[in-house]
Amino acid sequence: MTEPRGQMKSSNATSSTVLELQSASFDPDVSSLSLPPKLGQSNFRRVSRTEDSDPYPIPGLAADTLHMRVKEGSKIRNLLQFATARMQGEGKDGTSLRQVVFTGSGRGVTKTITCVEILKRKVGELHQVSKLYYKTVNEVWESPQQGAPGITVQRTVPAICILLSKDPLDPQEPGYQPPQTPSVPTEDAEKRRALISPSSQHTAKRVCPDDWSVCSPRADPS
Amino acid sequence: MTEPRNPGMSSIPQTAPPHTDVTSPAVEMDPVEYTLRKRLPRKLPKRRNDVYVNMKTDFRAQLARCQKLLEGGGHREICVHGLGLAINRAINIALQLQASSQGALQLAANTSTVELVDDLEPEDPDEAGEPMTRTRNNSAIHIKVFYPDPQ
């Protein structure tokens, strides 16, 4: 089995450091956005982190497609306010977009999917194609000791790229999802609508008494 | 996702899978205090080639299980499911399978929303009202890992 994570491209580092680094990044599932614990202990400091700008993994995208880059700390509300305004034609120029792409990597992947799921419910009738890939991130680590050589770490993080389109997409494309039919059972749809709008989302999270009365009949299925 | 074969899992709601969008309930549930119990996701439809990824089992064990299904189990395709925090791991497993197949395997990812139910149980049964539930949503991913038909 190949270990795609934490491949070392170390130039001047001492061999002991290399070993340490490798063991630190060995577990392929350690979230790579957090500091490797052993790196932190050995007082290395990350000086820079650059991501390669990979081309879209989805073929045949229009050049003017809106690209939402979802980061770990991005606020879902901010992302969605912007994206829905553009998709629903409430932008400054008044034209509505046909397609939007969401990308996220590492810990931002879950958030990316959440954004997409909410936008699909909000806008409706959106065709979807999801693609998975590894994103390469270059990190330069520096030792605080004077004269100690720096280390370049190249690691790969899992990433997702999701295209939402008002226009039909190729159903044969791997990762294609047709639009969700709006004929959801009314109770479900009601609940979803309540979760979508930002104001009621707040109250939904607070569990207002109205919610309880709705939910309590379903409390005990047994 | 919780390992579906885990014995006795249905009787222990505390072992619910990790959730990413946990709202801090204790703060918002004034004035009475409640304990939050996460129920397990509603259903786990499971074919032989469905793999539910969780955050408890060792990563390599889950990867090995998928490889076994594809190589030894004779399945042309398997479906890797991940919920919430386990999405990352599910993607990782799928990409690893693809990478180690030298291009023989393809991935097709779908996303969905899963409704989760939390039980709110009052700390003090005398003061509080009846137990309540609350639903929330979490994101999920379903990755089909398959050998494409030779055409």
Coordinates of all heavy atoms in Angstrom, one line a residue, chain A residues 71-155:
Chain A
K71 N -13.1 27.2 3.2 CA -11.9 26.9 4.1 C -12.5 26.4 5.4 O -13.7 26.5 5.7 CB -11.1 28.2 4.3 CG -10.5 28.8 3.0 CD -9.3 28.0 2.6 CE -8.9 28.4 1.2 NZ -8.6 29.8 1.0
E72 N -11.5 26.0 6.2 CA -11.9 25.4 7.5 C -12.7 26.4 8.3 O -13.7 26.0 9.0 CB -10.6 25.0 8.2 CG -10.8 24.1 9.4 CD -9.5 23.9 10.1 OE1 -8.5 23.8 9.4 OE2 -9.5 23.7 11.3
G73 N -12.3 27.6 8.3 CA -12.9 28.6 9.2 C -14.0 29.5 8.5 O -14.5 30.4 9.1
S74 N -14.3 29.2 7.3 CA -15.3 30.0 6.6 C -16.6 29.9 7.3 O -17.0 28.8 7.7 CB -15.4 29.5 5.1 OG -14.2 29.5 4.5
K75 N -17.3 31.0 7.3 CA -18.7 31.0 7.9 C -19.7 30.5 6.8 O -19.7 31.1 5.7 CB -19.1 32.3 8.4 CG -18.2 32.8 9.5 CD -18.6 32.2 10.8 CE -17.6 32.6 11.9 NZ -16.3 31.9 11.9
I76 N -20.4 29.5 7.1 CA -21.4 29.0 6.1 C -22.4 30.1 5.7 O -22.7 30.2 4.5 CB -22.1 27.8 6.7 CG1 -21.1 26.6 6.9 CG2 -23.3 27.4 5.9 CD1 -21.8 25.3 7.4
R77 N -22.7 30.9 6.7 CA -23.7 31.9 6.4 C -23.1 32.9 5.3 O -23.8 33.3 4.4 CB -24.0 32.7 7.6 CG -25.1 33.7 7.4 CD -25.4 34.5 8.7 NE -25.8 33.6 9.8 CZ -26.1 34.0 11.0 NH1 -26.1 35.3 11.3 NH2 -26.5 33.1 11.9
N78 N -21.9 33.3 5.5 CA -21.2 34.2 4.5 C -21.2 33.6 3.1 O -21.5 34.2 2.1 CB -19.8 34.6 5.0 CG -19.8 35.4 6.2 OD1 -20.9 35.9 6.6 ND2 -18.7 35.4 6.9
L79 N -20.7 32.3 3.1 CA -20.6 31.7 1.8 C -21.9 31.6 1.1 O -22.0 31.8 -0.1 CB -20.0 30.2 2.0 CG -18.6 30.1 2.5 CD1 -18.4 28.7 3.1 CD2 -17.6 30.4 1.4
L80 N -22.9 31.2 1.9 CA -24.2 31.0 1.2 C -25.0 32.2 0.9 O -25.7 32.3 -0.1 CB -25.1 30.1 2.1 CG -24.7 28.6 2.1 CD1 -25.5 27.8 3.1 CD2 -24.9 28.0 0.7
Q81 N -24.8 33.3 1.7 CA -25.4 34.6 1.3 C -24.9 35.0 0.0 O -25.6 35.4 -0.9 CB -25.0 35.6 2.4 CG -26.1 35.8 3.4 CD -25.7 36.7 4.5 OE1 -24.6 37.3 4.5 NE2 -26.5 36.9 5.5
F82 N -23.6 34.9 -0.2 CA -23.0 35.3 -1.5 C -23.4 34.4 -2.6 O -23.9 34.9 -3.7 CB -21.5 35.2 -1.3 CG -20.7 35.7 -2.6 CD1 -20.6 37.0 -2.8 CD2 -20.1 34.8 -3.4 CE1 -19.9 37.5 -4.0 CE2 -19.5 35.2 -4.5 CZ -19.4 36.6 -4.8
A83 N -23.4 33.1 -2.4 CA -23.7 32.1 -3.5 C -25.1 32.2 -3.9 O -25.4 32.2 -5.1 CB -23.3 30.7 -3.1
T84 N -26.0 32.3 -2.9 CA -27.4 32.3 -3.3 C -27.8 33.6 -4.0 O -28.6 33.6 -4.9 CB -28.3 32.1 -2.0 OG1 -27.8 32.8 -1.0 CG2 -28.5 30.7 -1.7
A85 N -27.2 34.7 -3.5 CA -27.5 35.9 -4.2 C -27.1 35.9 -5.7 O -27.9 36.3 -6.6 CB -26.8 37.1 -3.5
R86 N -26.0 35.3 -5.9 CA -25.5 35.2 -7.3 C -26.4 34.2 -8.1 O -26.7 34.4 -9.3 CB -24.0 34.8 -7.4 CG -23.1 35.7 -6.8 CD -23.0 37.0 -7.5 NE -22.5 36.9 -8.9 CZ -21.2 36.9 -9.2 NH1 -20.3 37.0 -8.3 NH2 -20.8 36.7 -10.4
M87 N -26.8 33.1 -7.5 CA -27.5 32.1 -8.2 C -29.0 32.5 -8.4 O -29.6 32.1 -9.4 CB -27.5 30.8 -7.4 CG -26.2 30.1 -7.4 SD -25.7 29.5 -9.1 CE -26.5 28.0 -9.2
Q88 N -29.5 33.3 -7.5 CA -30.9 33.8 -7.7 C -31.0 35.1 -8.4 O -32.1 35.7 -8.4 CB -31.5 33.8 -6.3 CG -31.7 32.4 -5.7 CD -32.2 32.4 -4.3 OE1 -32.1 33.5 -3.6 NE2 -32.8 31.3 -3.8
G89 N -29.9 35.6 -8.9 CA -30.0 36.8 -9.7 C -30.2 38.1 -8.9 O -30.7 39.1 -9.4
E90 N -29.8 38.0 -7.7 CA -29.9 39.3 -6.9 C -28.6 40.0 -6.7 O -28.4 40.8 -5.8 CB -30.5 38.9 -5.5 CG -31.9 38.4 -5.6 CD -32.3 37.6 -4.4 OE1 -31.5 37.6 -3.4 OE2 -33.3 36.9 -4.5
G91 N -27.6 39.6 -7.6 CA -26.3 40.2 -7.5 C -26.4 41.7 -8.0 O -27.4 42.2 -8.3
K92 N -25.2 42.3 -8.0 CA -25.2 43.7 -8.4 C -25.7 43.9 -9.8 O -26.4 44.9 -10.1 CB -23.8 44.3 -8.2 CG -23.4 44.5 -6.7 CD -21.9 44.9 -6.6 CE -21.4 44.5 -5.2 NZ -20.0 44.3 -5.3
D93 N -25.2 43.1 -10.7 CA -25.5 43.3 -12.1 C -26.9 42.7 -12.4 O -27.4 42.8 -13.5 CB -24.5 42.7 -13.0 CG -24.1 41.3 -12.5 OD1 -24.6 40.8 -11.5 OD2 -23.2 40.6 -13.2
G94 N -27.5 42.0 -11.5 CA -28.9 41.5 -11.7 C -29.0 40.2 -12.5 O -30.1 39.7 -12.8
T95 N -27.8 39.7 -13.0 CA -27.9 38.5 -13.7 C -27.7 37.3 -12.8 O -26.9 37.4 -11.8 CB -26.8 38.5 -14.8 OG1 -25.6 38.7 -14.2 CG2 -27.1 39.5 -15.9
S96 N -28.3 36.2 -13.1 CA -28.1 35.0 -12.2 C -27.2 34.1 -12.9 O -27.2 33.9 -14.1 CB -29.5 34.4 -11.9 OG -30.0 33.8 -13.1
L97 N -26.4 33.4 -12.1 CA -25.4 32.5 -12.6 C -26.1 31.2 -12.9 O -27.1 30.8 -12.3 CB -24.3 32.2 -11.6 CG -23.3 33.3 -11.4 CD1 -22.4 33.0 -10.2 CD2 -22.4 33.3 -12.6
R98 N -25.5 30.4 -13.8 CA -26.0 29.1 -14.1 C -25.3 28.0 -13.3 O -25.9 27.0 -13.1 CB -25.9 28.8 -15.6 CG -26.4 29.8 -16.6 CD -27.9 29.9 -16.4 NE -28.7 28.7 -16.7 CZ -30.0 28.6 -16.5 NH1 -30.6 29.5 -15.9 NH2 -30.6 27.4 -16.8
Q99 N -24.0 28.3 -13.0 CA -23.2 27.2 -12.4 C -22.4 27.8 -11.2 O -22.0 28.9 -11.3 CB -22.3 26.6 -13.4 CG -23.0 25.8 -14.5 CD -22.0 25.0 -15.3 OE1 -20.9 25.4 -15.5 NE2 -22.5 23.9 -15.8
V100 N -22.2 27.0 -10.3 CA -21.3 27.3 -9.2 C -20.5 26.1 -8.8 O -21.0 25.0 -8.8 CB -22.1 27.9 -8.0 CG1 -23.1 27.0 -7.4 CG2 -21.1 28.4 -6.9
V101 N -19.2 26.3 -8.4 CA -18.4 25.2 -8.0 C -17.9 25.5 -6.6 O -17.5 26.6 -6.2 CB -17.1 25.1 -8.9 CG1 -16.1 24.1 -8.3 CG2 -17.5 24.7 -10.3
F102 N -18.1 24.5 -5.7 CA -17.6 24.5 -4.4 C -16.4 23.6 -4.2 O -16.4 22.4 -4.6 CB -18.6 24.1 -3.4 CG -19.7 25.1 -3.1 CD1 -20.8 25.2 -4.0 CD2 -19.6 25.9 -2.0 CE1 -21.8 26.1 -3.7 CE2 -20.6 26.9 -1.8 CZ -21.7 27.0 -2.7
T103 N -15.3 24.1 -3.7 CA -14.1 23.2 -3.4 C -13.7 23.4 -2.0 O -13.8 24.5 -1.4 CB -12.9 23.6 -4.3 OG1 -12.6 24.9 -4.1 CG2 -13.2 23.3 -5.8
G104 N -13.2 22.3 -1.4 CA -12.7 22.4 0.0 C -11.8 21.2 0.2 O -11.9 20.2 -0.5
S105 N -10.9 21.4 1.1 CA -9.9 20.3 1.3 C -9.7 20.1 2.8 O -10.0 21.0 3.6 CB -8.6 20.6 0.6 OG -8.0 21.7 1.1
G106 N -9.2 19.0 3.2 CA -8.9 18.7 4.6 C -10.2 18.9 5.5 O -11.2 18.3 5.2
R107 N -10.0 19.7 6.5 CA -11.2 19.8 7.4 C -12.3 20.6 6.8 O -13.4 20.7 7.4 CB -10.7 20.5 8.7 CG -9.9 19.5 9.6 CD -9.8 20.1 10.9 NE -8.6 19.7 11.6 CZ -8.1 20.2 12.7 NH1 -8.7 21.3 13.2 NH2 -7.0 19.8 13.2
G108 N -12.0 21.3 5.7 CA -13.1 22.0 5.1 C -14.1 21.2 4.2 O -15.0 21.7 3.7
V109 N -13.8 19.9 4.1 CA -14.6 19.1 3.2 C -16.0 19.0 3.7 O -17.0 19.2 2.9 CB -13.9 17.7 3.1 CG1 -14.9 16.7 2.5 CG2 -12.7 17.7 2.2
T110 N -16.2 18.7 5.0 CA -17.5 18.6 5.5 C -18.3 19.9 5.3 O -19.5 19.8 4.9 CB -17.4 18.2 7.0 OG1 -16.5 17.1 7.2 CG2 -18.8 17.8 7.5
K111 N -17.7 21.0 5.6 CA -18.3 22.3 5.4 C -18.7 22.5 3.9 O -19.8 23.0 3.7 CB -17.4 23.4 5.9 CG -18.1 24.7 6.1 CD -17.2 25.6 6.9 CE -17.4 25.4 8.4 NZ -16.7 26.5 9.1
T112 N -17.9 22.1 3.1 CA -18.2 22.2 1.6 C -19.4 21.5 1.3 O -20.3 22.0 0.6 CB -17.0 21.6 0.8 OG1 -15.8 22.2 1.3 CG2 -17.2 22.0 -0.7
I113 N -19.6 20.2 1.8 CA -20.7 19.4 1.5 C -22.0 20.0 2.1 O -23.0 20.1 1.5 CB -20.5 18.0 2.0 CG1 -19.4 17.3 1.2 CG2 -21.8 17.1 1.8 CD1 -19.0 15.9 1.7
T114 N -21.8 20.5 3.3 CA -22.9 21.2 4.0 C -23.4 22.4 3.2 O -24.6 22.5 3.0 CB -22.5 21.6 5.4 OG1 -22.0 20.5 6.1 CG2 -23.7 22.2 6.2
C115 N -22.5 23.2 2.7 CA -22.9 24.3 1.9 C -23.7 23.9 0.7 O -24.7 24.5 0.3 CB -21.6 25.1 1.4 SG -20.9 26.1 2.7
V116 N -23.2 22.9 0.0 CA -23.8 22.4 -1.2 C -25.2 21.9 -0.9 O -26.2 22.2 -1.6 CB -22.9 21.3 -1.9 CG1 -23.7 20.5 -2.9 CG2 -21.7 21.9 -2.5
E117 N -25.3 21.1 0.2 CA -26.6 20.5 0.6 C -27.6 21.7 0.9 O -28.8 21.6 0.5 CB -26.5 19.6 1.7 CG -25.8 18.3 1.4 CD -26.6 17.4 0.5 OE1 -27.8 17.4 0.7 OE2 -26.0 16.8 -0.4
I118 N -27.2 22.7 1.6 CA -28.1 23.8 1.9 C -28.5 24.5 0.6 O -29.7 24.9 0.4 CB -27.5 24.7 2.9 CG1 -27.2 23.9 4.2 CG2 -28.4 25.9 3.2 CD1 -26.5 24.7 5.3
L119 N -27.5 24.8 -0.2 CA -27.8 25.5 -1.4 C -28.8 24.8 -2.3 O -29.6 25.4 -3.0 CB -26.5 25.8 -2.2 CG -26.6 26.8 -3.3 CD1 -27.0 28.2 -2.9 CD2 -25.3 26.9 -4.1
K120 N -28.6 23.5 -2.4 CA -29.5 22.6 -3.2 C -30.9 22.8 -2.7 O -31.9 22.8 -3.5 CB -29.1 21.2 -3.2 CG -27.9 20.8 -4.1 CD -27.8 19.3 -4.3 CE -27.4 18.6 -3.0 NZ -27.2 17.2 -3.3
R121 N -31.1 22.8 -1.4 CA -32.5 22.9 -0.9 C -33.0 24.3 -1.1 O -34.2 24.6 -1.4 CB -32.5 22.6 0.6 CG -32.2 21.2 0.9 CD -32.6 20.9 2.3 NE -31.8 21.6 3.3 CZ -30.8 21.0 4.0 NH1 -30.4 19.8 3.7 NH2 -30.1 21.7 4.9
K122 N -32.1 25.3 -1.1 CA -32.5 26.7 -1.2 C -32.9 27.1 -2.6 O -33.9 27.7 -2.9 CB -31.3 27.6 -0.7 CG -31.7 28.7 0.2 CD -30.5 29.3 0.8 CE -30.8 30.5 1.6 NZ -29.6 31.0 2.3
V123 N -32.0 26.7 -3.5 CA -32.2 27.1 -4.9 C -33.1 26.1 -5.6 O -34.0 26.4 -6.4 CB -30.9 27.3 -5.7 CG1 -31.1 27.6 -7.1 CG2 -30.1 28.3 -5.0
G124 N -32.9 24.8 -5.4 CA -33.7 23.8 -6.1 C -33.4 23.5 -7.5 O -32.8 24.4 -8.2
E125 N -33.7 22.3 -8.0 CA -33.5 22.0 -9.4 C -32.1 22.1 -9.8 O -31.8 22.6 -10.9 CB -34.5 22.8 -10.3 CG -35.9 22.4 -10.1 CD -36.2 20.9 -10.5 OE1 -35.9 20.6 -11.7 OE2 -36.7 20.2 -9.7
L126 N -31.1 21.7 -9.0 CA -29.7 21.9 -9.4 C -29.2 20.5 -9.7 O -29.4 19.5 -8.9 CB -28.9 22.5 -8.3 CG -29.2 24.0 -8.0 CD1 -28.4 24.5 -6.8 CD2 -28.8 24.8 -9.2
H127 N -28.5 20.4 -10.8 CA -27.7 19.2 -11.2 C -26.4 19.2 -10.5 O -25.8 20.3 -10.4 CB -27.6 19.1 -12.7 CG -28.9 19.0 -13.4 ND1 -29.4 17.8 -13.9 CD2 -29.7 19.9 -13.7 CE1 -30.5 18.0 -14.5 NE2 -30.8 19.3 -14.4
Q128 N -25.9 18.1 -10.1 CA -24.7 18.1 -9.2 C -23.7 17.0 -9.8 O -24.1 15.9 -10.2 CB -25.0 17.8 -7.8 CG -23.8 17.7 -6.9 CD -24.2 17.3 -5.5 OE1 -25.3 17.3 -5.1 NE2 -23.2 17.0 -4.6
V129 N -22.4 17.4 -9.8 CA -21.3 16.5 -10.0 C -20.3 16.7 -8.9 O -19.8 17.8 -8.7 CB -20.7 16.6 -11.4 CG1 -19.4 15.8 -11.5 CG2 -21.6 16.2 -12.5
S130 N -19.9 15.6 -8.2 CA -18.9 15.7 -7.2 C -17.7 14.9 -7.6 O -17.8 13.8 -8.2 CB -19.5 15.0 -5.9 OG -20.8 15.4 -5.6
K131 N -16.6 15.5 -7.3 CA -15.3 14.8 -7.6 C -14.4 14.8 -6.4 O -14.3 15.8 -5.7 CB -14.6 15.6 -8.8 CG -15.3 15.5 -10.1 CD -15.1 14.2 -10.7 CE -15.9 14.1 -12.0 NZ -16.0 12.7 -12.5
L132 N -13.7 13.7 -6.2 CA -12.7 13.6 -5.1 C -11.3 13.6 -5.7 O -11.1 13.0 -6.7 CB -13.0 12.3 -4.3 CG -14.4 12.1 -3.8 CD1 -14.5 10.7 -3.2 CD2 -14.8 13.2 -2.9
Y133 N -10.4 14.2 -5.0 CA -9.0 14.2 -5.4 C -8.1 14.5 -4.2 O -8.6 14.9 -3.2 CB -8.8 15.2 -6.5 CG -9.2 16.6 -6.2 CD1 -8.2 17.5 -5.9 CD2 -10.5 17.0 -6.3 CE1 -8.5 18.9 -5.6 CE2 -10.8 18.3 -6.0 CZ -9.8 19.2 -5.6 OH -10.2 20.5 -5.3
Y134 N -6.9 14.3 -4.4 CA -5.9 14.7 -3.4 C -5.3 16.0 -3.8 O -5.0 16.3 -5.0 CB -4.8 13.7 -3.3 CG -5.0 12.5 -2.4 CD1 -5.0 11.2 -2.8 CD2 -5.4 12.7 -1.1 CE1 -5.2 10.1 -2.0 CE2 -5.6 11.7 -0.2 CZ -5.5 10.4 -0.7 OH -5.8 9.4 0.2
K135 N -5.2 16.9 -2.8 CA -4.6 18.2 -3.1 C -3.3 18.2 -2.4 O -3.1 17.7 -1.3 CB -5.5 19.2 -2.4 CG -5.2 20.6 -2.7 CD -6.1 21.5 -1.9 CE -6.0 23.0 -2.2 NZ -6.7 23.4 -3.4
T136 N -2.3 18.8 -3.2 CA -0.9 18.8 -2.7 C -0.7 20.1 -2.0 O -1.0 21.2 -2.5 CB 0.0 18.6 -3.8 OG1 -0.4 17.5 -4.6 CG2 1.4 18.3 -3.3
V137 N -0.2 20.0 -0.8 CA 0.1 21.2 0.0 C 1.6 21.2 0.3 O 2.1 20.2 0.8 CB -0.7 21.3 1.3 CG1 -0.3 22.5 2.1 CG2 -2.2 21.3 0.9
N138 N 2.3 22.3 0.0 CA 3.7 22.4 0.4 C 3.9 23.3 1.6 O 3.3 24.3 1.7 CB 4.5 23.1 -0.8 CG 4.6 22.2 -2.0 OD1 5.1 21.0 -1.9 ND2 4.1 22.6 -3.1
E139 N 4.6 22.8 2.5 CA 4.8 23.5 3.8 C 6.3 23.7 4.0 O 7.1 22.7 3.8 CB 4.2 22.8 5.0 CG 2.7 22.8 5.0 CD 2.2 22.1 6.2 OE1 3.0 21.5 6.9 OE2 0.9 22.1 6.3
V140 N 6.7 24.8 4.4 CA 8.1 25.0 4.7 C 8.2 25.2 6.2 O 7.5 26.1 6.8 CB 8.7 26.3 4.0 CG1 10.1 26.5 4.4 CG2 8.5 26.1 2.5
W141 N 9.0 24.4 6.9 CA 9.2 24.5 8.3 C 10.6 25.0 8.6 O 11.5 24.6 8.0 CB 8.9 23.1 9.0 CG 7.5 22.6 8.9 CD1 6.9 22.1 7.8 CD2 6.6 22.6 9.9 NE1 5.6 21.8 8.1 CE2 5.4 22.1 9.4 CE3 6.6 23.0 11.2 CZ2 4.2 22.0 10.1 CZ3 5.4 22.9 12.0 CH2 4.2 22.4 11.4
E142 N 10.7 25.7 9.7 CA 11.9 26.3 10.0 C 12.2 26.1 11.5 O 11.4 26.2 12.3 CB 11.8 27.8 9.8 CG 13.1 28.4 9.3 CD 12.9 29.9 8.9 OE1 12.3 30.6 9.7 OE2 13.3 30.2 7.7
S143 N 13.5 25.7 11.7 CA 13.9 25.5 13.1 C 14.3 26.9 13.7 O 14.9 27.7 13.1 CB 15.1 24.6 13.2 OG 15.6 24.6 14.4
P144 N 13.9 27.0 15.0 CA 14.2 28.3 15.6 C 15.7 28.4 15.9 O 16.2 29.5 16.1 CB 13.4 28.3 16.9 CG 13.2 26.8 17.2 CD 13.2 26.2 15.9
Q145 N 16.4 27.3 15.9 CA 17.9 27.4 16.2 C 18.6 28.0 15.0 O 18.2 27.7 13.8 CB 18.4 26.0 16.4 CG 17.9 25.3 17.6 CD 17.9 23.8 17.5 OE1 18.5 23.2 16.6 NE2 17.1 23.2 18.4
Q146 N 19.5 28.8 15.3 CA 20.2 29.5 14.2 C 21.0 28.6 13.4 O 21.7 27.7 13.9 CB 21.1 30.6 14.8 CG 20.3 31.7 15.5 CD 20.7 33.1 14.8 OE1 21.8 33.3 14.5 NE2 19.7 33.9 14.6
G147 N 20.9 28.7 12.1 CA 21.8 27.9 11.3 C 21.2 26.6 10.9 O 21.7 25.9 10.1
A148 N 20.1 26.2 11.7 CA 19.5 24.9 11.4 C 18.8 25.0 10.0 O 18.2 26.0 9.7 CB 18.6 24.5 12.5
P149 N 18.9 23.9 9.2 CA 18.3 24.0 7.9 C 16.7 23.9 8.0 O 16.2 23.3 8.9 CB 18.8 22.8 7.2 CG 19.2 21.8 8.3 CD 19.6 22.7 9.5
G150 N 16.1 24.5 7.1 CA 14.7 24.4 7.0 C 14.2 23.1 6.3 O 15.0 22.5 5.6
I151 N 13.0 22.8 6.4 CA 12.5 21.6 5.9 C 11.3 21.9 5.0 O 10.4 22.7 5.4 CB 12.1 20.6 7.0 CG1 13.3 20.3 7.9 CG2 11.6 19.3 6.4 CD1 12.9 19.6 9.1
T152 N 11.2 21.3 3.9 CA 10.0 21.4 3.1 C 9.2 20.1 3.1 O 9.8 19.0 2.9 CB 10.4 21.7 1.6 OG1 11.2 22.8 1.6 CG2 9.1 22.0 0.8
V153 N 8.0 20.2 3.5 CA 7.1 19.0 3.6 C 6.1 19.1 2.6 O 5.4 20.1 2.4 CB 6.5 18.9 5.0 CG1 5.6 17.7 5.1 CG2 7.5 19.0 6.1
Q154 N 5.9 18.1 1.8 CA 4.9 18.0 0.9 C 3.9 17.0 1.3 O 4.2 15.8 1.5 CB 5.4 17.6 -0.5 CG 4.4 17.9 -1.6 CD 5.0 17.6 -3.0 OE1 5.4 16.5 -3.2 NE2 5.0 18.6 -3.8
R155 N 2.6 17.4 1.5 CA 1.6 16.5 1.9 C 0.4 16.6 1.1 O 0.2 17.6 0.4 CB 1.3 16.7 3.4 CG 1.0 18.2 3.7 CD 0.2 18.2 5.0 NE 0.9 17.4 6.1 CZ 1.3 18.0 7.2 NH1 1.2 19.3 7.4 NH2 1.9 17.2 8.1

